Amino acid sequence: MDVDGELPVNLDDFSDDDVDDQEEVGYEIRLRRPMHRRLSNLINFDAGLASPHEVSESIITSVDRIHGLDLLEVSIIDSDGGEYGSSYKVGNLLQADNSVYCSCKRSNITVIFEHNASALFVLTHFVLRAPPKGNFTAPIADAVLFVSQTPLTIKGLQEYDDYTRAEYDSLLQEKNILGKSLSEDEPAGFLSIDNTTGRTIVHTLSVPRTGRYIGVKFLRSTAEASSNANIDVEYVGFKGFTEVKGFAEGTIR
């Protein structure tokens, strides 16, 4: 929630230290068929962004003309976190400005997004930004990401309430041992923000996910567990292709 009514400054005012870049455990790429060069490049760490530490509004809103990436146009179709007030509505999540979403719930808030176009998308990057801790009591700390071609539901994602980084890493290790890839009903990524070193994460999916629906579960905030704090999130954004293209399948290494 807002501490003193002040909102964060413009994204362009931040230094490089305000951005963190995460990847999942690495994947070994096995091609089913030849890839388009730009999709092959996309598997690389910083493909699709001018720089993994570029701090400006363009990191969120721009179209990458080299790799053909778009900011996916999505709408929120369901959420269960409530709203702390009319100024902190859930729709603020999709606004690349100073507005912030402040929940009523303190943990396990699920937000379901649907692609505005009828066609499937290929998700390659997920941008998550926390508000400044000095202005808000409970900046987002951990979130888990889901991508599906069929509708996602809040009830269906309840099994991931209180999900942890350790559980996600264990899942990846299990898949590695079995030689299997993550299925559509399993997390596409796990993100953690350390608000002391940076409050924006550009998460690169090691293997792009095809879908029409995206689910984000905001698991917990940086506030003390004993507090009655909610969860505060400044922005979420999804980048990728707005038409389906052939690409690699991956196995965790």
Side-chain angles (χ1 to χ4, degrees), residues 38-39 42 64 67-70 72 115 120-124 208-209 211 239-245 247:
R38 72 184 185 186
L39 253 174
L42 180 61
D64 187 300
H67 299 96
L69 296 181
D70 295 302
L72 302 180
H115 192 210
L120 298 175
F121 58 76
V122 178
L123 183 66
T124 61
R209 284 277 191 104
K239 296 194 74 172
F241 297 98
T242 53
E243 58 183 76
V244 176
K245 306 174 188 295
F247 55 88

Side-chain angles (χ1 to χ4, degrees), residues 159-251:
E159 64 178 293
Y160 292 98
D161 283 2
D162 299 318
Y163 200 60
T164 65
R165 166 69 69 177
E167 289 179 292
Y168 179 69
D169 289 345
S170 178
L171 173 64
L172 296 185
Q173 292 172 4
E174 178 184 351
K175 293 293 183 177
N176 184 32
I177 292 172
L178 297 175
K180 296 182 179 180
S181 301
L182 293 170
S183 62
E184 187 178 84
D185 61 349
E186 292 174 316
F190 190 99
L191 296 85
S192 297
I193 294 183
D194 180 356
N195 206 269
T196 62
T197 59
R199 60 188 188 86
T200 302
I201 287 179
V202 180
H203 180 80
T204 304
L205 277 67
S206 296
V207 175
R209 284 277 191 104
T210 301
R212 188 177 178 188
Y213 301 91
I214 297 172
V216 179
K217 184 178 285 289
F218 302 116
L219 296 163
R220 58 192 62 88
S221 73
T222 59
E224 295 293 334
S226 59
S227 73
N228 294 319
N230 54 348
I231 295 182
D232 304 322
V233 187
E234 184 171 315
Y235 178 79
V236 296
F238 311 100
K239 296 194 74 172
F241 297 98
T242 53
E243 58 183 76
V244 176
K245 306 174 188 295
F247 55 88
E249 69 174 1
T251 56

Side-chain angles (χ1 to χ4, degrees), residues 59-103:
I59 201 169
I60 294 172
T61 59
S62 69
V63 174
D64 187 300
R65 299 188 183 279
I66 297 177
H67 299 96
L69 296 181
D70 295 302
L71 181 71
L72 302 180
E73 295 185 4
V74 299
S75 297
I76 295 171
I77 59 173
D78 204 1
S79 64
D80 66 350
E83 298 173 345
Y84 188 74
S86 59
S87 297
Y88 307 108
K89 57 189 179 181
V90 67
N92 290 349
L93 290 171
L94 296 174
Q95 303 301 316
D97 54 22
N98 293 333
S99 60
V100 174
Y101 167 53
C102 300
S103 70

